[in-house]
Amino acid sequence: NKAVEYINTAIKLDRDSSFYYNLGLYLYNKGNESDAESAWLKGIEKDSFKQIEFKHYTFYYLALYYFDKKDYRKAKEYIEKAIELSPNNQEYIDVYAKMLKFLEENK
């Protein structure tokens, strides 16, 4: 709870969207999935990442979140955005391949 409080304070002080990425992770791990989704979406909406890696991480976690929620269209959209920003990230490529395979098998 303290971590969430501190990150919310940091968000008020600095426009860096990486704080939303971290807030989303904390909320997700606490079981507040919809709040985590909101935090991640706010982060990419603001588009003020000082380090691009946090943007592709945010896309990646949104992809995993939507896949878990069975919203496969959004999951595919976000993993593609993560790969676009970090095309050499093997984990993203592997997740994308698994998503495509799953979608093909479950048509």
Side-chain angles (χ1 to χ4, degrees), residues 16-22 40-63 78-79 81-86 92:
D16 186 4
S17 292
S18 65
F19 293 126
Y20 289 100
Y21 160 78
N22 288 314
W40 289 326
L41 290 172
K42 280 181 190 170
I44 60 172
E45 176 185 290
K46 299 225 180 268
D47 204 28
S48 59
F49 290 87
K50 291 178 185 170
Q51 294 181 335
I52 196 68
E53 68 185 298
F54 287 107
K55 188 169 188 175
H56 61 81
Y57 291 157
T58 304
F59 285 141
Y60 173 70
Y61 279 101
L62 279 166
Y78 284 111
I79 195 64
K81 288 179 179 186
I83 291 170
E84 184 179 315
L85 292 175
S86 184
Y92 298 171

Side-chain angles (χ1 to χ4, degrees), residues 91-104:
E91 185 175 7
Y92 298 171
I93 294 167
D94 291 345
V95 166
Y96 184 65
K98 287 177 185 175
M99 283 183 185
L100 291 179
K101 182 179 179 185
F102 177 85
L103 293 172
E104 184 63 32

